[in-house]
Amino acid sequence: KMASIEIDGVNGVIKNTTSDADITIKGNDGGSEISALTLDMSDAGTATFNHDIKLGDNSKTIFGASEDLQIYHDGSNSIIKDAGTGSIEIQSDGTGVFLQKSASEYLARFLTDSSVDLYYDNTKKFLTSSTGINLPVDGDSIKFGADSEIVLTHVHDTGLMIDSSGDTSL
């Protein structure tokens, strides 16, 4: 059976009248035919793009009936905005979730069923383990108080050094 395509110029509708048949937008790229966009009608119109989706500054990708999640660039900042009633959840069944400055510099790593590692200038400074928190580098400190009244410093040969200043007592 031959596919039937109906174009309704009054309402601006393109409709494939064949049950579960896809709608594909094709073009010519340097002499080669490409499928730029396919709408899968057997999957409620799931869109598959052959390449990037580009939006200008302040143009948003919006998710949810009430614009609950928005992702956009405002010309200066890249923004992921939760405008709904829930929270933003980042989930991973893989190695974990990484925050990076670039592909080669970590800010933080949240490892699945393992540690949370925090970095300063790509050097691991703080991590969690099954037994607590760790300072992995000799000389690193945890400071308490607005003026660092108590300082705990990791010293490899002698263990933990505790320093208090001001009126604070240990």
Side-chain angles (χ1 to χ4, degrees), residues 155-170:
V155 181
H156 178 70
D157 294 336
T158 61
L160 185 64
M161 182 175 70
I162 302 172
D163 180 25
S164 73
S165 61
D167 295 330
T168 306
S169 60
L170 298 175

Side-chain angles (χ1 to χ4, degrees), residues 141-157:
S141 300
I142 297 177
K143 299 176 182 180
F144 298 90
D147 296 317
S148 301
E149 291 89 358
I150 299 175
V151 179
L152 305 175
T153 303
H154 175 246
V155 181
H156 178 70
D157 294 336

Side-chain angles (χ1 to χ4, degrees), residues 8-27:
D8 183 341
V10 175
N11 297 311
V13 174
I14 298 173
K15 177 171 57 173
N16 187 339
T17 58
T18 304
S19 179
D20 291 335
D22 296 345
I23 295 174
T24 303
I25 298 175
K26 294 185 176 196

Side-chain angles (χ1 to χ4, degrees), residues 102-170:
S102 64
S104 62
E105 186 170 340
Y106 290 113
L107 302 171
R109 296 181 348 141
F110 303 85
L111 303 171
T112 304
D113 299 326
S114 186
S115 66
V116 171
D117 305 337
L118 302 179
Y119 292 76
Y120 177 82
D121 197 20
N122 208 35
T123 300
K124 189 185 301 185
K125 292 293 187 174
F126 183 90
L127 63 102
T128 63
S129 69
S130 62
T131 59
I133 60 171
N134 300 300
L135 301 176
V137 178
D138 282 347
D140 280 352
S141 300
I142 297 177
K143 299 176 182 180
F144 298 90
D147 296 317
S148 301
E149 291 89 358
I150 299 175
V151 179
L152 305 175
T153 303
H154 175 246
V155 181
H156 178 70
D157 294 336
T158 61
L160 185 64
M161 182 175 70
I162 302 172
D163 180 25
S164 73
S165 61
D167 295 330
T168 306
S169 60
L170 298 175

Side-chain angles (χ1 to χ4, degrees), residues 18-40:
T18 304
S19 179
D20 291 335
D22 296 345
I23 295 174
T24 303
I25 298 175
K26 294 185 176 196
N28 187 314
D29 182 15
S32 298
E33 184 178 277
I34 61 157
S35 296
L37 170 63
T38 301
L39 302 174
D40 184 349

